[in-house]
Amino acid sequence: MLFYPKHEDGINSIRQRGTLLKPTIWAEPASVMSWGSSVTIWCQGTAEAKEFCFEKQGRTFPTCGVILLHPMVSGTLSTTGLTDSGAGIYRCYYYSPNGRSERSDPLELVVTGAYSQPSLSALPSPVVTSGGNVTLQCGSGLGFDRFILTKEGDQRLSWTLDSQRHTSGQFQALFPVGPVTPSDRGKFRCYGCYRYSPQVWSYPSDPLELLVSGPFPKPTLWAEPGPVISWGSPVTIWCQGTPEAEEYRLDKEGSPEPWKREKPQKTGDKVMFSIPLLTQGDAGRYRCYYLSPDGWSEPSDPLELVVTGSYSKPSLSALPSPVLTSGRNVTLQCGSLDAFDRFILTKEGDHRLSWTLDSRRQPRGQFQALFPVAPMTPSDNGPFRCYGYYRNSPQVWSHPSDPLDLLVSGESQKPSLLTQQGPFVASRQSLTLQCRSDVGYDRFALHKEGERDLPQSLVLQPQAGLSQAHFPLDTKRGTGVGGIYARVGRTFSLSGWSSDALDILVAGHLPDTPSLSVQPGPRVASGENVTLLCQSQSPRDTSLLSKEGAAYPLLLLSSEHRAGQYQGEFSMSPVTSALRGTYRCYSSHSSSPFLLSLPSEPLELLVSGPLPKPTLWAEPGPVIPQRSRLTISCQGTSGATEYRLDKEGSPAPWKREKPLKPGDKAMFSIPSMTDRDAGIYRCYYLSPDVWSEPSDPLELVVMTGSYSKPSLSALPSRVVTSGENVTLQCGSRQGFGRVILTKEGDHRLSWTLDSKQQPSGQYQALFPVGPVTPSHRWTFRCYGCYSKKPQVCSLPSEPLELLVSGTFPKPTLLAEPGPVIPLGRPLTISCQGTTGASEYRLDKEGSPAPWKREKPLKPGDKVMFSIPSMTKRDAGIFRCYYLSPDGWSEPSDLLELVVTGSSSKPSLSALPSPVVTSGGNVTLQCGSGQGFDRFILTKEGDHRLSWTLGSQPQPSGQFQAQFPVGSVTPSNTGTFRCYGCYRHSPQVWSHPSDALELLVSGHLPDRPSLSVQPGPRVASGENVTLLCQSQSLTDKFLLSKEGAANPPLCMRSKYQAQQYQAEFSMRPVTSAHRGTYRCYSSHSTSPFLLSLPSEPLELLVSGPSGGPSSPATEPISTAGLKWYWIVVLVALVLLLSLLLFLLLRHRRQSKGRTSGECLDMKDRQAEENRQMDSQAASNVPQDVTYAQLNLLALRQQTGAPPSSPSQEPSEEPSVYAALAIH
């Protein structure tokens, strides 16, 4: 048939001859079609029809055609290659000899595939008990205005909701479904669309299958060892059903597909789902089901699995004090320099007791939350810990804070009261009120305003950190709660800490149904005035107008009595597209304002523009380098006579163009892009005397070389498992206020976020992407712009390729000789996958490009990445992947590579002593004057054993950390070292401290004896020998001095006189040797396990001894003066020799002794002198050695004449030397 445009005036001029039946309109194969497909619109009338006309909403003229084949009584309008211009609302009518028929009902033709697909998930689970409720959540990172939910197999079933922006930046809509029946089982999909083009939809989401379970007992779900697990630890999830169960299914909330499926290996009622190493991707909320011969069971109660250890631990303190009198108040303060969105306070020993608060930034940059606890009772004792987490990953927590002990604890905060049905509820419809709080309340009480009693009180059921209770109201009873409808509109609130008021409006309580009409009509142009008229024949004094999808009544007016009716007029002027929608009205009495009539019939208000808006785009794209050529295209309709391009902020049209030949588009060229060309553009077209609506905005961005490019990285990795989430981080130190992320190859996909300054000074923006599917294999770039010039941006970042991995086993990543390597040493990193691997890739966290790539030289399952000489830049966190013929593997576990030797070594000491009684306590203190932010304590022989603490400044200027070892057992002993590092480079450590051996006494039953020769009281300068003896077989003896932090002296034993013994000589004795001594025995096979201590021996050192040969004072003669200078020269020579000796001794001391090694008899005296000198220097400033030379003694040795015995000893000069050793 032939179609031609027909002017509406000609149609209206035809005389109507009676009333003709309105035709039927439909589309084949369907009214919802994918982009580029073919569709035919049919219009069927009566046998007398001679001509059919089709109207499309927004077009001025209809399309008409004459029927050429008789006796066809229908017309068609065919479209091939359907695009967004073909989508819209159609009507048809026909002409017969008796005149023109009525218009058909509207046909909405929808085209899909214009935008990326959204995600669809079921809350709490896709398996729903018959009669229960479920919420289908449709979401996307694109800013869709609306979401549409459809059920597969029946295009008549669809639901539309306006989108709501989530705090994570996601746009989403929640579709309540229920009560669910077996007929609701099926597959659902959802689409997204924009308000300005409601018939142009996105690609459909992945299908979501909704299963309706039978009346079988729900299974039990639990985690071992518990639901809060540290990063990298194993966890086992158990699901227990009935013995008849054939299959078990574990679902993770937010995942459209089952997370795991398991069949029992043998007849039993439970299965286990193992997670060998818990990561961020495993955190979330789980439910399980089982399949019996008669169907699926109900879902289990939810299990919230939390992973801790992803971030640094916060600090927890009590204000004003952790110890208070019962009945007093206390505030627990949890804080961190990391910008956590929320903090969680937990009570140790009971995972069900937790509290959550939003964090607040303090003037000093600290983020903190204050948990008020009042009043205190004896049952509220701790200890407590707190964690931090970010809003976009609520089950991924930081390391726990150090424990805080309190006598009592508690908190109060206002809960929230809500209902999923909205403010309107039909009379006799079921209604459930839900009360929530992030505080651990024990019970909730529901209170109705105007009543004194608290009719309901329910025990708390904590879920995901929220305390909540559901209050179902039995609306079928005539008294009690059922009588609530006599007063149901009154405010509901909570007693105690009261929630905000919630108004419930009951529709249908009054028997009348008002009518709703519109003037001048339901279809109006934007800018016109409209009046909605609500009328009722019953005496009503109030009218309410509501819009479908709105949370609250739009307008409320007093009714007026006119022409025998009660009515309210709702004026809207001028009309905008935001007022488009479906309206209903209600009537009520002012005496019972919450009891409403039945709703009126729905009225749909359509707001249209005069002409369809054009399409505007830029080639080669909207982000252009400076001085590059650009073409802007504007496409309207074929009747356009002129095009106009406007730039935002410019008062006049930026450019005007007329088509050179009949066509539907014009092009605007920019030969060389500059900063002045950047901005936001719109275009219009003229047809023939009316301007169209404006196009969607086109943001034109120019890249300038004046700004350095930012960096782009993927967190946690650029290789993402299918179905998981990834965050793209764009950062720079240039203070960009705005960041743009683009996808290479598709300029329509771009995202913009404001940047945030981090504590490190970096400005960054985090773009969430996911859940990821294979269609997300994209290459991304990002740009930085300043807020004052948002369209003038930096050079692009290096490209970041996002890869989606399959379900292949993750590889193993190892470092040889180990992950802690000194500076300058060689290192080999090995990555082992499967034998089919064709390529290996090593990524370093924070690096946008792969760190290294390697291909196996021959068929094998691993490659090696070599680092000839370790530097600071090689330290960091690494992962590896391998490429198999079917795709990339999952990432390996993390490998943290540490380089040591970048700073001077700290000191390590044991308090009170390195020798500890079995079961006693000891603290290892690591300190340095270099201002390290953190200290790391390691145990020799096992790199997996390390502990990290933040440093604390001391009044002396020293920075230190104290590592409590606790109750010492043989397993705690060993050789320890410590390192220092700074917060900005946590994998770059200092030189290791000197080794410290931790020894435990009392493990061997032997108790040696300790004696002294010549006696316990000696004069300074004499020689003393301490003798340690045992009758038991022993390999070595250790001598310790009470109060000394230095390691004890160790000597090999010697069998003599029927005993094992060792002699510790002190030559000569000084006052520094004064003190209490004990000795121990030990075996070389267990060098850290000692015997019981000997009885204490106190060594008393008196002043220097005198004698008859003491020199006397005599005048210094000329010969004596000569000898005096000789002695001075000799003293200087000896002083230089002493300096060399001390330097050599310091080098030996820095190397330290091997664990368990003792000196033999030859080296005994040298080691004793070293240890005693070290003890003697403990009373003088650190790292300074003093030496004294007595000139009198030197002169006597050189042959000077002795003084007369009768003379008094002279005051001879002494030479002191101070040697500083650093």
Side-chain angles (χ1 to χ4, degrees):
M1 60 187 69
L2 178 64
F3 292 97
Y4 57 90
K6 189 160 186 172
H7 202 281
E8 188 65 26
D9 291 343
I11 297 173
N12 293 334
S13 64
I14 298 176
R15 295 180 59 190
Q16 302 290 332
R17 299 182 181 178
T19 301
L20 298 176
L21 296 175
K22 66 179 179 182
T24 303
I25 188 170
W26 72 93
E28 290 185 355
S31 60
V32 179
M33 300 297 295
S34 60
W35 189 290
S37 59
S38 300
V39 66
T40 300
I41 301 177
W42 288 84
C43 182
Q44 184 173 10
T46 63
E48 293 82 11
K50 302 298 183 184
E51 183 181 12
F52 286 87
C53 294
F54 292 87
E55 289 181 340
K56 183 184 177 188
Q57 182 177 305
R59 287 184 181 173
T60 306
F61 306 115
T63 302
C64 300
V66 179
I67 301 175
L68 300 179
L69 299 177
H70 190 75
M72 288 185 65
V73 291
S74 62
T76 61
L77 178 63
S78 299
T79 300
T80 59
L82 186 64
T83 65
D84 55 352
S85 61
I89 297 176
Y90 291 81
R91 285 182 171 86
C92 72
Y93 54 88
Y94 62 88
Y95 288 94
S96 73
N98 296 324
R100 196 191 79 177
S101 71
E102 297 182 43
R103 287 180 175 87
S104 67
D105 293 330
L107 168 67
E108 189 172 13
L109 185 62
V110 173
V111 59
T112 68
Y115 321 109
S116 299
Q117 66 176 179
S119 62
L120 182 61
S121 58
L123 302 177
S125 167
V127 180
V128 192
T129 308
S130 181
N133 297 322
V134 67
T135 299
L136 302 187
Q137 175 180 290
C138 186
S140 172
L142 302 179
F144 291 129
D145 298 315
R146 294 173 180 168
F147 288 100
I148 305 96
L149 178 68
T150 64
K151 185 175 181 183
E152 201 170 275
D154 192 342
Q155 291 183 333
R156 295 174 301 174
L157 288 180
S158 66
W159 302 266
T160 303
L161 283 179
D162 290 343
S163 70
Q164 302 289 333
R165 184 164 188 175
H166 195 261
T167 52
S168 63
Q170 185 95 339
F171 287 80
Q172 65 182 32
L174 301 176
F175 294 87
V177 179
V180 175
T181 63
S183 63
D184 294 320
R185 177 183 304 163
K187 292 186 177 180
F188 292 80
R189 295 178 186 265
C190 76
Y191 304 80
C193 72
Y194 295 100
R195 186 173 288 108
Y196 57 79
S197 52
Q199 288 82 35
V200 180
W201 295 0
S202 67
Y203 281 102
S205 67
D206 293 331
L208 173 69
E209 184 178 4
L210 195 63
L211 303 176
V212 181
S213 64
F216 311 112
K218 64 182 179 183
T220 303
L221 184 64
W222 73 95
E224 292 180 354
V228 180
I229 303 294
S230 59
W231 180 295
S233 300
V235 65
T236 301
I237 300 176
W238 289 90
C239 182
Q240 184 170 15
T242 62
E244 296 81 14
E246 301 171 350
E247 183 181 351
Y248 286 83
R249 166 174 166 162
L250 183 64
D251 281 3
K252 183 181 177 185
E253 193 169 285
S255 176
E257 299 294 330
W259 196 69
K260 282 189 178 182
R261 289 177 179 264
E262 288 286 346
K263 292 186 177 181
Q265 295 182 355
K266 57 183 180 178
T267 304
D269 60 352
K270 67 180 178 179
V271 296
M272 65 176 180
F273 303 91
S274 297
I275 304 176
L277 294 173
L278 194 67
T279 65
Q280 287 184 357
D282 302 314
R285 184 175 291 186
Y286 293 81
R287 286 179 172 83
C288 76
Y289 318 82
Y290 63 88
L291 179 64
S292 69
D294 296 326
W296 286 97
S297 71
E298 297 184 30
S300 67
D301 292 332
L303 169 68
E304 187 169 11
L305 197 60
V306 172
V307 57
T308 67
S310 299
Y311 322 109
S312 300
K313 66 180 180 181
S315 63
L316 182 61
S317 58
L319 304 176
S321 169
V323 179
L324 296 177
T325 307
S326 179
R328 293 292 185 89
N329 301 336
V330 67
T331 298
L332 301 188
Q333 175 180 290
C334 186
S336 173
L337 289 175
D338 294 329
F340 294 128
D341 295 317
R342 291 174 181 166
F343 289 100
I344 308 98
L345 179 68
T346 63
K347 185 176 180 182
E348 199 167 281
D350 193 341
H351 290 296
R352 296 172 300 174
L353 286 181
S354 64
W355 303 267
T356 304
L357 282 181
D358 291 341
S359 70
R360 294 191 177 183
R361 186 169 186 173
Q362 303 304 304
R364 295 184 178 180
Q366 179 98 342
F367 288 80
Q368 68 179 36
L370 300 176
F371 295 87
V373 181
M376 295 176 61
T377 63
S379 62
D380 294 329
N381 54 342
F384 292 85
R385 294 178 186 265
C386 77
Y387 303 80
Y389 72 83
Y390 297 100
R391 186 174 289 109
N392 59 343
S393 51
Q395 286 87 28
V396 180
W397 295 0
S398 68
H399 282 283
S401 68
D402 293 333
L404 174 67
D405 287 313
L406 285 180
L407 295 178
V408 294
S409 68
E411 136 182 352
S412 293
Q413 186 179 350
K414 179 172 69 176
S416 59
L417 184 64
L418 64 152
T419 174
Q420 292 186 353
Q421 290 94 324
F424 292 95
V425 59
S427 181
R428 304 188 67 81
Q429 178 186 350
S430 61
L431 174 66
T432 298
L433 299 184
Q434 187 179 55
C435 186
R436 292 180 180 176
S437 175
D438 54 3
V439 179
Y441 288 114
D442 294 325
R443 299 178 71 82
F444 288 101
L446 181 66
H447 174 59
K448 177 183 172 185
E449 191 174 87
E451 294 184 0
R452 298 181 180 178
D453 58 333
L454 301 176
Q456 300 207 22
S457 181
L458 297 180
V459 177
L460 166 67
Q461 298 177 354
Q463 295 181 2
L466 290 175
S467 305
Q468 61 181 14
H470 297 268
F471 295 89
L473 303 182
D474 184 6
T475 61
K476 297 181 181 180
R477 295 187 301 170
T479 59
V481 178
I484 204 168
Y485 290 108
R487 302 168 298 276
V488 72
R490 302 195 184 274
T491 302
F492 285 95
S493 64
L494 295 176
S495 65
W497 287 89
S498 177
S499 69
D500 292 331
L502 175 66
D503 292 335
I504 302 297
L505 304 175
V506 179
H509 187 80
L510 303 179
D512 64 310
T513 301
S515 63
L516 182 62
S517 58
V518 58
Q519 294 296 333
R523 180 190 296 275
V524 291
S526 181
E528 292 184 359
N529 298 329
V530 167
T531 299
L532 298 182
L533 184 63
C534 185
Q535 295 177 309
S536 175
Q537 294 183 351
S538 302
R540 304 286 184 254
D541 53 12
T542 306
S543 296
L544 290 90
L545 180 67
S546 71
K547 183 182 176 186
E548 196 169 272
Y552 297 98
L554 183 64
L555 293 171
L556 186 146
L557 288 177
S558 298
S559 299
E560 295 182 4
H561 186 52
R562 289 183 185 176
Q565 294 202 69
Y566 294 86
Q567 62 184 33
E569 292 184 359
F570 299 88
S571 297
M572 301 179 184
S573 58
V575 172
T576 64
S577 58
L579 296 175
R580 181 189 300 131
T582 302
Y583 293 82
R584 290 177 173 85
C585 77
Y586 304 79
S587 63
S588 69
H589 288 293
S590 58
S591 58
S592 301
F594 302 101
L595 303 180
L596 310 183
S597 67
L598 293 168
S600 67
E601 291 297 324
L603 172 67
E604 185 176 10
L605 184 64
L606 302 175
V607 182
S608 63
L611 291 172
K613 63 183 177 184
T615 303
L616 184 65
W617 72 95
E619 293 177 355
V623 182
I624 299 296
Q626 204 169 26
R627 293 184 293 277
S628 298
R629 184 179 181 85
L630 177 74
T631 300
I632 302 176
S633 297
C634 181
Q635 184 170 14
T637 62
S638 57
T641 59
E642 184 181 351
Y643 285 84
R644 165 177 165 164
L645 184 65
D646 282 2
K647 181 182 178 185
E648 198 171 277
S650 177
W654 197 70
K655 282 189 178 182
R656 288 178 180 265
E657 289 285 346
K658 291 188 177 183
L660 298 177
K661 57 182 180 179
D664 60 353
K665 76 174 180 179
M667 291 184 290
F668 304 88
S669 297
I670 302 176
S672 179
M673 280 290 294
T674 65
D675 294 1
R676 297 180 61 186
D677 300 317
I680 298 176
Y681 292 81
R682 290 177 174 85
C683 76
Y684 313 78
Y685 64 90
L686 182 65
S687 175
D689 299 320
V690 179
W691 284 100
S692 69
E693 296 185 30
S695 67
D696 291 333
L698 169 67
E699 187 172 16
L700 212 55
V701 174
V702 60
M703 295 183 294
T704 174
S706 302
Y707 313 141
S708 300
K709 62 184 178 183
S711 63
L712 182 62
S713 58
L715 302 176
S717 169
R718 73 183 67 246
V719 180
V720 191
T721 306
S722 181
E724 297 293 334
N725 298 324
V726 67
T727 298
L728 302 187
Q729 174 181 292
C730 185
S732 173
R733 291 191 174 273
Q734 294 202 39
F736 294 130
R738 186 171 181 249
V739 178
I740 302 171
L741 179 71
T742 63
K743 176 193 168 190
E744 203 168 272
D746 192 341
H747 293 292
R748 293 179 302 173
L749 288 180
S750 65
W751 302 266
T752 304
L753 285 178
D754 292 338
S755 67
K756 293 184 178 180
Q757 187 175 12
Q758 304 303 304
S760 63
Q762 180 99 339
Y763 286 80
Q764 68 179 34
L766 301 177
F767 295 87
V769 179
V772 175
T773 63
S775 63
H776 286 74
R777 297 190 182 190
W778 298 336
T779 300
F780 293 86
R781 293 177 186 266
C782 75
Y783 307 81
C785 324
Y786 291 102
S787 302
K788 294 182 179 179
K789 293 184 177 180
Q791 286 84 37
V792 179
C793 299
S794 68
L795 294 173
S797 67
E798 295 294 331
L800 174 68
E801 183 183 3
L802 194 61
L803 302 177
V804 182
S805 66
T807 56
F808 313 110
K810 62 183 177 183
T812 302
L813 187 62
L814 298 173
E816 295 177 358
V820 181
I821 300 296
L823 203 64
R825 295 287 182 86
L827 176 74
T828 300
I829 301 176
S830 63
C831 181
Q832 184 168 11
T834 61
T835 53
S838 58
E839 184 181 351
Y840 285 82
R841 169 175 170 160
L842 183 65
D843 279 5
K844 182 182 177 184
E845 195 169 281
S847 175
W851 199 68
K852 283 189 178 182
R853 289 178 179 263
E854 288 287 345
K855 292 187 177 181
L857 297 177
K858 56 182 180 179
D861 60 353
K862 77 173 179 178
V863 295
M864 291 182 287
F865 303 91
S866 298
I867 302 176
S869 178
M870 279 290 291
T871 65
K872 295 180 182 179
R873 296 181 61 184
D874 299 318
I877 297 175
F878 292 81
R879 289 181 175 88
C880 76
Y881 318 81
Y882 63 88
L883 180 64
S884 70
D886 297 325
W888 285 97
S889 71
E890 297 186 29
S892 67
D893 293 332
L894 298 176
L895 171 65
E896 187 171 13
L897 211 55
V898 173
V899 60
T900 67
S902 66
S903 313
S904 300
K905 66 181 179 182
S907 63
L908 182 62
S909 58
L911 303 177
S913 169
V915 180
V916 190
T917 307
S918 181
N921 295 325
V922 67
T923 298
L924 302 187
Q925 177 177 290
C926 187
S928 173
Q930 295 199 46
F932 292 126
D933 297 316
R934 296 170 182 168
F935 288 101
I936 305 97
L937 179 68
T938 64
K939 185 176 180 181
E940 196 171 275
D942 194 341
H943 288 295
R944 295 173 300 175
L945 287 181
S946 66
W947 300 266
T948 303
L949 284 179
S951 69
Q952 301 292 332
Q954 304 301 308
S956 62
Q958 189 92 342
F959 287 79
Q960 67 181 33
Q962 294 188 343
F963 296 86
V965 178
S967 180
V968 177
T969 63
S971 62
N972 294 342
T973 61
T975 303
F976 293 83
R977 286 180 169 86
C978 77
Y979 303 79
C981 73
Y982 297 100
R983 185 176 290 108
H984 58 81
S985 52
Q987 287 86 33
V988 179
W989 295 0
S990 68
H991 281 285
S993 68
D994 292 334
L996 174 69
E997 294 180 0
L998 190 60
L999 309 172
V1000 57
S1001 66
H1003 188 78
L1004 303 179
D1006 178 37
R1007 186 189 293 274
S1009 62
L1010 181 62
S1011 58
V1012 59
Q1013 294 294 332
R1017 183 185 298 273
V1018 293
S1020 180
E1022 293 186 6
N1023 297 333
V1024 169
T1025 298
L1026 298 181
L1027 182 64
C1028 189
Q1029 295 176 310
S1030 174
Q1031 294 184 352
S1032 301
L1033 176 64
T1034 185
D1035 298 318
K1036 60 182 179 179
F1037 289 96
L1038 294 94
L1039 179 67
S1040 70
K1041 182 182 177 184
E1042 195 172 277
N1046 294 325
L1049 293 175
C1050 178
M1051 300 215 32
R1052 297 188 184 96
S1053 69
K1054 182 178 180 181
Y1055 188 71
Q1056 187 174 345
Q1058 304 297 319
Q1059 291 197 76
Y1060 292 88
Q1061 64 183 26
E1063 295 180 354
F1064 297 89
S1065 299
M1066 301 179 188
R1067 305 175 184 175
V1069 172
T1070 66
S1071 60
H1073 293 93
R1074 182 187 299 119
T1076 302
Y1077 293 83
R1078 290 178 175 83
C1079 76
Y1080 306 83
S1081 63
S1082 176
H1083 294 293
S1084 57
T1085 56
S1086 302
F1088 306 109
L1089 305 180
L1090 310 184
S1091 69
L1092 295 168
S1094 66
E1095 294 296 328
L1097 173 68
E1098 185 176 7
L1099 184 64
L1100 302 176
V1101 180
S1102 60
S1105 60
S1109 61
S1110 299
T1113 303
E1114 65 177 14
I1116 300 177
S1117 63
T1118 302
L1121 185 61
K1122 177 181 178 181
W1123 281 106
Y1124 179 84
W1125 287 111
I1126 293 175
V1127 170
V1128 170
L1129 291 176
V1130 172
L1132 291 175
V1133 172
L1134 292 176
L1135 181 62
L1136 292 175
S1137 301
L1138 177 63
L1139 175 64
L1140 178 62
F1141 165 73
L1142 291 175
L1143 287 174
L1144 293 176
R1145 190 195 72 173
H1146 180 69
R1147 292 186 61 185
R1148 279 186 55 195
Q1149 187 174 353
S1150 64
K1151 294 180 181 179
R1153 289 187 292 110
T1154 307
S1155 300
E1157 180 182 349
C1158 288
L1159 299 176
D1160 55 17
M1161 298 300 291
K1162 181 186 290 185
D1163 297 331
R1164 179 182 64 185
Q1165 184 62 45
E1167 179 66 11
E1168 286 176 355
N1169 290 338
R1170 183 185 74 80
Q1171 294 285 2
M1172 294 305 173
D1173 289 341
S1174 176
Q1175 295 178 7
S1178 63
N1179 295 324
V1180 297
Q1182 188 177 1
D1183 293 340
V1184 177
T1185 302
Y1186 290 88
Q1188 177 184 1
L1189 301 177
N1190 189 287
L1191 294 181
L1192 177 62
L1194 291 174
R1195 192 170 67 181
Q1196 289 176 345
Q1197 292 178 2
T1198 56
S1203 301
S1204 172
S1206 62
Q1207 294 177 334
E1208 294 294 329
S1210 63
E1211 293 292 334
E1212 291 293 337
S1214 296
V1215 178
Y1216 286 85
L1219 177 63
I1221 301 176
H1222 300 289

